[in-house]
Amino acid sequence: MDDWAAIILAAGKGRRMKSKTPKVLHTIAGREMLCYVSDAIKEVPLPRTWVVVGYNSAEIRQVLGNSVDYVEQTEALGTGHALLQARPLLESQVRHVLVLNGDTPLIQAETLRNIIRHHQDSGATITLLTARGLDPKGLGRVIRNASGQIVAVVEEAEIEKEGKGSDELNGGVYCFKGNWLWPELGNIPRSQNGEYYLTSLIVMAAESNQRIEGVNVGDPMEALGINHRFHLAQAESIVQERLRQRLMLAGVSFIHPPSAFIDANVEIGEDTVIYPNTTIAGKTQIGQGCHIGPNAIITDSVIGNGCRVQASVVEGSILEEGVDVGPFSHIRPQSHIEKGVHIGNFAEVKKSRLGKGTKMGHFSFVGDAIVGENVNIGAGAVTCNFDGIRKHETVIGNDAFIGSDSMLIAPVRVGDRAITGAGSVVNHDVPSDALAVGVPARSRRRKEGRDSPREAK
Ligand code: UD1
Ligand code: MG
């Protein structure tokens, strides 16, 4: 494969998407569609990939980085013109080129291997991927002569004029022999709408008696070119299905697969069960034996083994093993929940660490806090972290007991084993082993055998 290169055409305006985002950077399962195309090429594997970029150059370079090389097309004058821009860089370097539209994210490496193999074995000048069974609207029709040879691809705009139709469609993936392609590329005629169609090369090759081969894609959806939002939604559901299947085969259960939405960068361990209406997004890792959902949304987080997240939202956080959250709680970014923590319902944790075995059962808020191990955070307790201008920190020691409805006015520290009474407003530090009660709370030393949490009223 050393004498091959791949070229992805990605400089088009994608007007039919009606979007400020370049078409090829729209995401499917949280990943830009162009990445799927470049991944499939890497998986073949082909040694080098060039991407033709244009008005969207900076954004595409940011996404693909230096995993590929770039060619600039300063004006989007059509797919043929896009390919022409690669000529100065490539014509002396490679014998064959694989050209792909950047809007074909469902294409699989195996299909690319097939078309490459067929191209090499047949010695064709052009080999193109064809599909039957797609909605033909907007696609080029493959025209064959009486003996079955491909003689043209007719674009939809030209069909009426030419009066030609066919149910065999052009899938937008081609292999070319370089020594024929590069000299001919400059000869593509301008179409009526002012564009230079890459597909004109087919008729040009046929007219000079070059061998043109077609390889049928098998599953036509693999050749789906994303031209508008309906295509994008179709691709999303196919990619979701592929991702779920892969996870199921790796030991993950889905109670209702179609209502689970999993991003491409998500990893899930064996024996985890995903319940209905669950979204797991971004770069998220979920351990083994977890119960996630129903109605959970987890983004960019690490969830340890044996966790349970029910009807709750977890964002940008770490849950160590055996943590349970929900229903109806919210773990906001930069939280670290240690082993065995219980977070019940209507609780919010923001940018905080909760130590091993801590319990936060009902209606409470912990923000900008460091909470020790085996702390009990009573119903309605709040770390009052914001003074209207700045955020402040709350530190709670190990084995402390924060009584129901305690208001901890940050910055404030509550020592190890200290107790705050129900309804107390704590605006001074509470020493270790002290009991703080009242509004504002006053601290006194806890008496041996008395002042158990139950007595601190
Ligand atoms: C193209 C084919 C059509 C085929 C279909 C398969 C042509 C003329 N038509 O149509 O036969 O059935 O794909 O999906 O090729 N691009 C550039 N520069 C440009 C224009 C486009 O780089 O000036 C890129 C786009 O970013 C896109 C790809 O080329 O990734 C295809 O362009 P698009 O406009 O989607 O072509 P289709 O109309 O889908
Ligand atoms: Mg297209």
Side-chain angles (χ1 to χ4, degrees):
M1 292 285 179
D2 287 352
D3 50 357
W4 280 81
I7 303 173
I8 308 177
L9 309 180
K13 282 268 188 320
R15 284 195 192 85
R16 291 164 281 185
M17 292 297 279
K18 305 208 187 324
S19 173
K20 291 189 179 65
T21 304
K23 175 168 80 171
V24 293
L25 295 185
H26 277 261
T27 56
I28 298 167
R31 202 143 188 269
E32 292 81 3
M33 71 167 93
L34 193 52
C35 295
Y36 289 86
V37 182
S38 79
D39 280 357
I41 294 167
K42 270 183 227 140
E43 203 186 321
V44 169
L46 286 186
R48 286 190 78 179
T49 301
W50 274 262
V51 181
V52 182
V53 293
Y55 77 104
N56 50 19
S57 170
E59 286 158 284
I60 291 183
R61 282 168 192 263
Q62 206 176 358
V63 169
L64 291 180
N66 49 22
S67 63
V68 296
D69 291 294
Y70 299 94
V71 173
E72 296 281 340
Q73 184 192 22
T74 44
E75 215 181 334
L77 290 177
T79 47
H81 181 261
L83 187 55
L84 179 64
Q85 310 313 301
R87 184 167 70 180
L89 285 165
L90 282 173
E91 69 180 332
S92 59
Q93 289 205 32
V94 287
R95 287 184 55 209
H96 301 283
V97 285
L98 173 73
V99 178
L100 303 95
N101 288 346
D103 63 354
T104 316
L106 301 178
I107 199 77
Q108 300 284 288
E110 188 50 36
T111 303
L112 299 180
R113 280 187 215 115
N114 280 345
I115 186 172
I116 288 171
R117 204 176 302 125
H118 189 95
H119 183 73
Q120 278 174 328
D121 293 351
S122 65
T125 299
I126 305 177
T127 307
L128 59 140
L129 191 70
T130 71
R132 286 198 158 85
L134 282 177
D135 174 5
K137 196 160 179 356
L139 297 183
R141 272 59 160 185
V142 177
I143 309 296
R144 294 180 184 259
N145 64 16
S147 47
Q149 299 299 309
I150 294 176
V151 290
V153 167
V154 182
E155 293 305 316
E156 193 171 63
E158 320 267 289
I159 290 173
E160 273 180 26
K161 197 179 73 187
E162 308 238 339
K164 288 172 182 162
S166 158
D167 63 349
E168 190 177 13
L169 305 162
N170 171 24
V173 177
Y174 322 80
C175 297
F176 292 98
K177 253 188 199 161
N179 60 5
W180 180 86
L181 173 70
W182 301 120
E184 287 296 330
L185 256 181
N187 301 330
I188 294 179
R190 208 165 183 164
S191 73
Q192 269 189 338
N193 71 3
E195 288 193 8
Y196 297 91
Y197 293 152
L198 185 157
T199 44
S200 300
L201 290 168
I202 315 297
V203 97
M204 289 159 62
E207 280 168 1
S208 58
N209 292 319
Q210 299 296 316
R211 182 165 187 161
I212 304 164
E213 288 286 310
V215 171
N216 186 277
V217 66
D219 174 5
M221 291 312 276
E222 253 192 68
L224 182 71
I226 311 299
N227 288 336
H228 48 62
R229 307 270 183 160
F230 181 60
H231 288 149
L232 187 67
Q234 282 180 303
E236 178 78 38
S237 73
I238 290 168
V239 169
Q240 287 295 335
E241 208 171 301
R242 286 180 185 170
L243 289 167
R244 288 189 302 253
Q245 267 175 22
R246 199 185 68 198
L247 288 165
M248 285 186 251
L249 294 175
V252 178
S253 288
F254 287 81
I255 302 299
H256 182 238
S259 71
F261 299 90
I262 314 287
D263 271 2
N265 288 326
V266 169
E267 290 168 32
I268 307 180
E270 278 176 27
D271 285 327
T272 285
V273 183
I274 309 296
Y275 292 87
N277 295 329
T278 290
T279 298
I280 307 175
K283 198 165 164 34
T284 292
Q285 237 179 296
I286 295 184
Q288 301 184 349
C290 296
H291 291 255
I292 309 294
N295 302 323
I297 303 172
I298 302 180
T299 312
D300 295 321
S301 294
V302 177
I303 312 288
N305 296 337
C307 288
R308 188 191 65 98
V309 178
Q310 198 186 17
S312 292
V313 177
V314 178
E315 303 169 277
S317 290
I318 298 170
L319 270 56
E320 293 184 6
E321 63 180 80
V323 169
D324 84 288
V325 177
F328 315 121
S329 285
H330 189 182
I331 313 297
R332 291 172 52 201
Q334 296 181 56
S335 297
H336 186 136
I337 315 296
E338 291 183 15
K339 188 174 169 181
V341 166
H342 163 69
I343 295 171
N345 46 94
F346 303 104
E348 176 176 337
V349 178
K350 177 235 148 183
K351 206 178 174 187
S352 295
R353 188 169 183 121
L354 266 60
K356 244 187 346 200
T358 283
K359 295 187 168 48
M360 182 179 172
H362 343 259
F363 309 108
S364 44
F365 169 66
V366 167
D368 302 293
I370 300 171
V371 179
E373 297 179 2
N374 298 315
V375 172
N376 188 87
I377 298 182
V382 171
T383 56
C384 308
N385 60 333
F386 187 46
D387 62 11
I389 299 167
R390 270 183 294 273
K391 299 282 166 63
H392 300 283
E393 189 181 68
T394 300
V395 179
I396 301 174
N398 295 335
D399 303 301
F401 183 96
I402 308 300
S404 294
D405 239 348
S406 293
M407 298 294 128
L408 308 179
I409 317 289
V412 72
R413 303 173 83 86
V414 176
D416 291 347
R417 297 171 301 281
I419 296 171
T420 66
S424 54
V425 174
V426 180
N427 57 0
H428 286 94
D429 290 356
V430 180
S432 296
D433 297 299
L435 167 70
V437 286
V439 180
R442 278 201 230 140
S443 298
R444 63 172 161 79
R445 206 169 161 72
R446 275 171 65 190
K447 294 191 183 93
E448 206 56 49
R450 290 185 50 208
D451 296 342
S452 73
R454 201 160 41 82
E455 289 159 317
K457 298 223 174 80

